[in-house]
Amino acid sequence: MRASLFCMASAFLSLVATQQPTGPNPFTLPADFMINAGEPTTITWTPTTGGTVSIRLRDGASSDLNQGIVVASDIENNGRAQITIPADTTRNSDYALQIVSGPGADDSNYSAQFVVESDNTVESVSSSPGSATATSAASTTSEDSSTSSEDSTTTESSSMSTTGASTRT
Protein backbone atom coordinates (compact mmCIF):
# COMPACT_ATOMS: atom_id res chain seq x y z
CA MET A 1 0.00 0.00 0.00
CA ARG A 2 2.79 2.43 0.90
CA ALA A 3 4.62 1.57 -2.30
CA SER A 4 1.59 2.37 -4.44
CA LEU A 5 1.05 5.70 -2.65
CA PHE A 6 4.71 6.53 -3.20
CA CYS A 7 4.40 5.67 -6.93
CA MET A 8 1.25 7.80 -7.30
CA ALA A 9 2.88 10.73 -5.52
CA SER A 10 6.00 10.44 -7.68
CA ALA A 11 3.92 10.32 -10.86
CA PHE A 12 1.95 13.40 -9.79
CA LEU A 13 5.11 15.37 -8.98
CA SER A 14 6.63 14.40 -12.34
CA LEU A 15 3.51 15.61 -14.13
CA VAL A 16 3.53 18.93 -12.28
CA ALA A 17 7.24 19.44 -12.93
CA THR A 18 6.87 18.88 -16.69
CA GLN A 19 3.80 21.04 -17.30
CA GLN A 20 4.55 23.85 -19.69
CA PRO A 21 3.04 27.34 -19.49
CA THR A 22 -0.14 27.67 -21.51
CA GLY A 23 -1.48 30.38 -23.75
CA PRO A 24 0.10 32.17 -26.70
CA ASN A 25 3.79 33.06 -26.48
CA PRO A 26 4.39 32.13 -22.82
CA PHE A 27 7.24 33.97 -21.09
CA THR A 28 10.29 31.93 -20.03
CA LEU A 29 11.62 34.22 -17.31
CA PRO A 30 13.52 32.95 -14.25
CA ALA A 31 11.69 32.83 -10.91
CA ASP A 32 13.89 35.65 -9.55
CA PHE A 33 13.38 37.91 -12.60
CA MET A 34 13.59 41.64 -11.98
CA ILE A 35 14.20 44.78 -14.02
CA ASN A 36 16.42 47.74 -13.18
CA ALA A 37 14.68 50.89 -14.43
CA GLY A 38 16.64 52.67 -17.16
CA GLU A 39 18.87 49.65 -17.94
CA PRO A 40 18.53 47.21 -20.86
CA THR A 41 16.99 43.86 -19.89
CA THR A 42 16.65 40.75 -22.05
CA ILE A 43 13.29 38.99 -21.90
CA THR A 44 12.45 35.61 -23.41
CA TRP A 45 9.33 33.69 -24.34
CA THR A 46 8.35 30.64 -26.39
CA PRO A 47 6.99 31.92 -29.72
CA THR A 48 3.75 30.10 -30.58
CA THR A 49 2.25 32.58 -33.03
CA GLY A 50 3.59 34.06 -36.25
CA GLY A 51 4.23 37.65 -37.20
CA THR A 52 5.10 40.33 -34.71
CA VAL A 53 4.39 40.96 -31.03
CA SER A 54 4.19 43.95 -28.74
CA ILE A 55 5.23 44.02 -25.08
CA ARG A 56 3.58 46.16 -22.38
CA LEU A 57 4.83 46.85 -18.85
CA ARG A 58 1.79 46.78 -16.56
CA ASP A 59 1.39 47.09 -12.80
CA GLY A 60 -1.17 46.62 -10.07
CA ALA A 61 -3.04 43.70 -8.55
CA SER A 62 -2.70 40.60 -10.73
CA SER A 63 -6.48 40.51 -11.17
CA ASP A 64 -6.69 44.22 -12.11
CA LEU A 65 -3.54 45.42 -13.90
CA ASN A 66 -3.25 49.04 -15.05
CA GLN A 67 -2.85 49.68 -18.79
CA GLY A 68 0.83 50.48 -18.33
CA ILE A 69 3.15 51.44 -21.17
CA VAL A 70 4.32 49.85 -24.40
CA VAL A 71 7.99 48.85 -24.09
CA ALA A 72 8.24 47.09 -27.47
CA SER A 73 5.99 47.50 -30.49
CA ASP A 74 5.71 45.28 -33.56
CA ILE A 75 8.92 43.33 -32.96
CA GLU A 76 9.71 40.02 -34.61
CA ASN A 77 8.22 37.10 -32.66
CA ASN A 78 11.48 35.21 -32.26
CA GLY A 79 11.30 34.59 -28.51
CA ARG A 80 13.78 37.23 -27.39
CA ALA A 81 13.90 41.01 -26.99
CA GLN A 82 15.93 43.57 -25.14
CA ILE A 83 13.78 46.20 -23.45
CA THR A 84 14.57 49.32 -21.45
CA ILE A 85 11.87 50.74 -19.22
CA PRO A 86 11.97 54.43 -18.28
CA ALA A 87 14.45 55.34 -15.56
CA ASP A 88 11.72 57.23 -13.68
CA THR A 89 9.57 54.11 -13.25
CA THR A 90 8.47 53.82 -9.62
CA ARG A 91 10.09 51.03 -7.57
CA ASN A 92 7.54 48.33 -6.78
CA SER A 93 6.95 44.57 -6.79
CA ASP A 94 3.65 44.43 -8.68
CA TYR A 95 4.80 44.70 -12.30
CA ALA A 96 4.03 42.20 -15.08
CA LEU A 97 4.82 42.00 -18.77
CA GLN A 98 2.05 41.43 -21.31
CA ILE A 99 2.86 40.01 -24.73
CA VAL A 100 0.31 40.69 -27.47
CA SER A 101 0.44 39.03 -30.88
CA GLY A 102 -1.36 40.63 -33.78
CA PRO A 103 -3.31 43.88 -33.78
CA GLY A 104 -5.57 43.18 -30.78
CA ALA A 105 -5.25 41.95 -27.21
CA ASP A 106 -7.13 38.71 -27.96
CA ASP A 107 -3.93 36.71 -28.27
CA SER A 108 -2.04 37.89 -25.21
CA ASN A 109 -0.23 36.37 -22.29
CA TYR A 110 1.32 37.65 -19.05
CA SER A 111 4.48 37.07 -17.08
CA ALA A 112 4.45 36.40 -13.37
CA GLN A 113 4.67 39.60 -11.35
CA PHE A 114 8.16 40.87 -10.59
CA VAL A 115 10.13 43.70 -9.00
CA VAL A 116 11.28 46.85 -10.75
CA GLU A 117 14.27 48.37 -8.97
CA SER A 118 14.50 52.13 -9.27
CA ASP A 119 15.79 55.22 -7.49
CA ASN A 120 12.24 56.59 -7.81
CA THR A 121 10.34 55.40 -4.74
CA VAL A 122 7.49 57.93 -4.78
CA GLU A 123 4.71 57.81 -7.32
CA SER A 124 3.68 61.24 -8.55
CA VAL A 125 0.08 62.41 -8.29
CA SER A 126 -0.17 63.13 -12.00
CA SER A 127 1.48 60.58 -14.22
CA SER A 128 2.22 60.10 -17.86
CA PRO A 129 4.02 57.34 -19.70
CA GLY A 130 7.69 57.75 -20.43
CA SER A 131 9.36 56.41 -23.51
CA ALA A 132 10.81 52.95 -23.69
CA THR A 133 12.89 51.13 -26.27
CA ALA A 134 13.18 47.52 -27.30
CA THR A 135 15.42 45.54 -29.58
CA SER A 136 14.65 42.02 -30.75
CA ALA A 137 17.39 39.47 -31.36
CA ALA A 138 17.11 40.34 -35.06
CA SER A 139 18.26 43.89 -34.16
CA THR A 140 14.91 45.47 -34.91
CA THR A 141 14.48 48.60 -32.84
CA SER A 142 11.14 50.10 -31.97
CA GLU A 143 10.33 53.10 -29.86
CA ASP A 144 7.10 54.22 -28.27
CA SER A 145 7.76 57.93 -28.00
CA SER A 146 5.12 59.45 -25.80
CA THR A 147 5.48 62.97 -24.54
CA SER A 148 6.47 62.87 -20.90
CA SER A 149 5.40 65.57 -18.53
CA GLU A 150 6.79 66.26 -15.14
CA ASP A 151 5.02 67.69 -12.14
CA SER A 152 6.88 70.20 -9.98
CA THR A 153 5.76 71.13 -6.52
CA THR A 154 7.52 73.79 -4.50
CA THR A 155 7.16 73.95 -0.74
CA GLU A 156 7.63 77.52 0.47
CA SER A 157 8.74 76.61 3.98
CA SER A 158 11.63 74.47 2.82
CA SER A 159 12.13 75.84 -0.71
CA MET A 160 12.54 72.28 -2.00
CA SER A 161 11.29 71.12 -5.41
CA THR A 162 10.15 67.58 -6.04
CA THR A 163 9.90 66.28 -9.59
CA GLY A 164 8.77 62.82 -10.64
CA ALA A 165 6.88 60.81 -13.19
CA SER A 166 5.40 57.37 -12.94
CA THR A 167 4.51 54.60 -15.35
CA ARG A 168 1.05 54.02 -13.89
CA THR A 169 -1.61 55.15 -16.32
Side-chain angles (χ1 to χ4, degrees), residues 7-9 17 36 42 44 82 94 110 113 116 130 137 144 152 159:
C7 288
M8 287 189 330
N36 289 311
T42 300
T44 57
Q82 187 173 58
D94 65 351
Y110 296 86
Q113 288 190 300
V116 168
D144 173 34
S152 292
S159 299

Side-chain angles (χ1 to χ4, degrees), residues 144-161:
D144 173 34
S145 297
S146 302
T147 303
S148 178
S149 65
E150 294 182 338
D151 294 328
S152 292
T153 306
T154 304
T155 308
E156 291 181 8
S157 62
S158 63
S159 299
M160 293 181 64
S161 175

Side-chain angles (χ1 to χ4, degrees), residues 52-54 74 98-109:
T52 61
V53 295
S54 294
D74 295 322
Q98 177 187 20
I99 187 166
V100 180
S101 60
D106 293 339
D107 287 331
S108 67
N109 210 340

Side-chain angles (χ1 to χ4, degrees), residues 16-72:
V16 170
T18 60
Q19 285 182 344
Q20 297 297 317
T22 60
N25 304 309
F27 285 99
T28 55
L29 304 174
D32 60 349
F33 179 75
M34 65 171 280
I35 292 179
N36 289 311
E39 296 180 14
T41 301
T42 300
I43 59 170
T44 57
W45 63 92
T46 302
T48 61
T49 62
T52 61
V53 295
S54 294
I55 310 288
R56 292 184 76 87
L57 176 68
R58 299 181 67 175
D59 66 323
S62 61
S63 60
D64 187 27
L65 292 169
N66 294 322
Q67 287 300 308
I69 61 168
V70 174
V71 294

